[in-house]
Amino acid sequence: MKASNPWVSSIQDSVMIILPLILVGSLVTVVSLLNNIIPNMPDFSLINSFSFGLLGLLVSFLIPYFVMEKKGHNNKKIIAGATGLALYLMLLSPIVTEDGNITFIISRFGATGMFLSLVIGLSVAAVMNLASKKSFFSEDSVIPEFVIVWFDSLIPITLLMLAGWTIAVPLNLDFFEVVLKIFSPLAQIVQSYPGYVLSVFIPVFLYTFGISGWVMMPVIYPVYLSGLAENAERVAAGLEPTNIALQETAYAFTSMGGVGTTLALAVMMLFASKSYRLKAIGKATIVPSIFNINEPLMFGGPVVFNPFLMIPMWIASIVIPSIVYFVMKIGLVAIPTKTFMLWYIPYPIASYLATQDWRAVILALLIFVVAFIIYFPFFKAYDNQEKKKELNASAE
């Protein structure tokens, strides 16, 4: 379910567009594990730098593009995206040498630049959308449309670039750092224990009412991405990673079977059901659940709007991230430092690949047991109810 607001849905669509690039970066992460087995493996890190490492740059183009499209200004969506891209590059505070060469800090193009790209993308979209409501030409003008678009775009683009120049040159502000400081309280909240648990629980809570957790991604996802980028920078500097609230952590532990850690529920439906209906659902959903796809279970069980299964899902989405947080906080399992978005990899394989720590396999097995214990009494009550319905129906 997408947000109906064009501004929020544009952020969602931008994230969806860059997902394949994140997946490519994840594949490079998996391949890099072979360095421990195969000597003289090629260094594929450049692929990661120009896929996952360009997310902020790409989003600065995509957000104004999608906003203009959703606002009905299709003839200006490309130029709006290009303006966002240009302004983003200007405000990365590049170093201009005396001989005219420009040097960028490459890390600012990636996940750490997501906050800047959000600010710039939405700002460019707002100005371009406002300017699109007026035109220098009448609707029945004989002037070609592309010429009209050029002239109507001159003023908003000039104003935007002048604003960027004012920040970068006369004021001499590192706008990248300014934006990071503005968003740092949000990042600190999400990276705290209660913030991390809420970032897992809220999407699950919404999902139990049939609302996709993707509606939270415009808020949570940039924090997750910047947290992973910061972890990678700390490791490169010889420091320990500290950010636990990451998408990689979800794909390592809290999304076992899908959002809400529902693999245990699918297993008990298959093997512990007395109800013929629930056993049939278990047979139908076990394979998708193994690959962390739980829509068939959520809507076929159903879990959605079913108090018997909603409540344990809420409990699991508080207990399990709590376990993960404290286990990683005290250093029993490594905190992820490389991108891993291959969410369809079965557990506990995904747990190892995301963390590159064999102890994550043990934690994944523990989480399965905990999820099983949480779901089981609620499942049995639901199973008994469904079995009684089936017996009553057969007796009639």
Side-chain angles (χ1 to χ4, degrees):
M1 178 179 177
K2 285 187 179 182
S4 57
N5 184 287
W7 303 89
V8 176
S9 63
S10 293
I11 299 174
Q12 291 177 326
D13 288 346
S14 299
V15 172
M16 290 298 293
I17 288 293
I18 63 176
L19 272 180
L21 291 166
I22 298 176
L23 292 176
V24 170
S26 301
L27 288 171
V28 171
T29 298
V30 174
V31 171
S32 69
L33 295 174
L34 297 176
N35 290 329
N36 301 323
I37 303 172
I38 303 174
N40 302 318
M41 274 280 292
D43 182 5
F44 294 107
S45 60
L46 195 62
I47 296 176
N48 189 69
S49 298
F50 286 90
S51 54
F52 180 75
L54 294 180
L55 299 189
L57 183 71
L58 297 172
V59 169
S60 68
F61 173 89
L62 291 169
I63 290 177
Y65 176 94
F66 281 121
V67 170
M68 296 300 283
E69 182 180 72
K70 295 175 189 302
K71 287 289 188 177
H73 308 305
N74 283 295
N75 58 350
K76 295 179 182 176
K77 61 185 182 182
I78 294 291
I79 198 166
T83 304
L85 193 62
L87 190 58
Y88 181 82
L89 290 170
M90 180 187 289
L91 292 176
L92 283 180
S93 298
I95 300 171
V96 182
T97 61
E98 292 182 359
D99 55 2
N101 291 324
I102 300 177
T103 303
F104 289 93
I105 301 173
I106 188 65
S107 63
R108 294 189 171 190
F109 287 110
T112 54
M114 281 289 287
F115 290 123
L116 178 63
S117 63
L118 285 172
V119 171
I120 289 176
L122 293 173
S123 299
V124 169
V127 172
M128 296 293 287
N129 176 61
L130 184 63
S132 296
K133 296 178 181 179
K134 299 290 183 180
S135 176
F136 291 113
F137 306 91
S138 61
E139 293 183 2
D140 56 355
S141 174
V142 295
I143 298 175
E145 183 183 12
F146 71 90
V147 176
I148 293 175
V149 171
W150 285 353
F151 278 97
D152 286 345
S153 301
L154 285 175
I155 292 178
I157 293 174
T158 301
L159 291 175
L160 286 163
M161 298 307 289
L162 276 175
W165 175 83
T166 302
I167 292 170
V169 181
L171 296 179
N172 195 27
L173 287 177
D174 187 339
F175 197 63
F176 180 89
E177 292 294 340
V178 171
V179 170
L180 282 187
K181 288 180 181 178
I182 292 172
F183 280 93
S184 62
L186 173 62
Q188 289 172 2
I189 291 170
V190 174
Q191 293 297 343
S192 69
Y193 164 65
Y196 170 58
V197 171
L198 284 174
S199 76
V200 176
F201 174 78
I202 293 174
V204 169
F205 181 79
L206 294 174
Y207 199 18
T208 59
F209 291 97
I211 303 171
S212 172
W214 269 103
V215 300
M216 292 297 298
M217 284 300 102
V219 177
I220 296 174
Y221 203 65
V223 177
Y224 281 180
L225 284 174
S226 62
L228 179 65
E230 184 180 335
N231 282 352
E233 289 174 2
R234 288 182 63 85
V235 170
L239 303 173
E240 292 295 321
T242 57
N243 296 316
I244 296 171
L246 311 167
Q247 200 67 38
E248 284 69 19
T249 308
Y251 294 147
F253 304 110
T254 61
S255 292
M256 184 182 297
V259 174
T261 323
T262 54
L263 180 60
L265 179 60
V267 169
M268 63 184 72
M269 279 191 175
L270 178 61
F271 295 107
S273 294
K274 294 179 180 179
S275 163
Y276 296 117
R277 186 183 75 84
L278 293 185
K279 186 171 285 292
I281 291 171
K283 291 178 181 178
T285 60
I286 188 62
V287 173
S289 292
I290 289 173
F291 292 95
N292 308 313
I293 301 169
N294 67 353
E295 283 82 359
L297 180 62
M298 291 295 296
F299 295 97
V303 177
V304 173
F305 287 108
N306 181 352
F308 283 103
L309 301 181
M310 291 168 71
I311 294 173
M313 196 169 181
W314 298 343
I315 296 172
S317 299
I318 294 173
V319 172
I320 289 172
S322 297
I323 293 172
V324 171
Y325 185 89
F326 288 111
V327 166
M328 286 188 163
K329 195 71 175 177
I330 62 178
L332 293 180
V333 172
I335 297 173
T337 60
K338 296 182 179 180
T339 180
F340 179 82
M341 293 286 284
L342 305 178
W343 60 83
Y344 46 81
I345 300 293
Y347 285 74
I349 299 172
S351 307
Y352 172 73
L353 293 177
T355 61
Q356 300 184 21
D357 183 352
W358 66 267
R359 295 172 298 178
V361 174
I362 300 173
L363 178 57
L365 296 175
L366 172 64
I367 285 171
F368 179 85
V369 172
V370 170
F372 196 97
I373 293 170
I374 292 171
Y375 276 108
F376 191 73
F378 295 91
F379 161 75
K380 287 308 296 180
Y382 181 47
D383 184 44
N384 290 336
Q385 173 187 279
E386 293 301 299
K387 183 62 178 178
K388 288 180 181 178
K389 287 181 181 179
E390 292 169 359
L391 290 173
N392 292 336
S394 62
E396 292 178 357

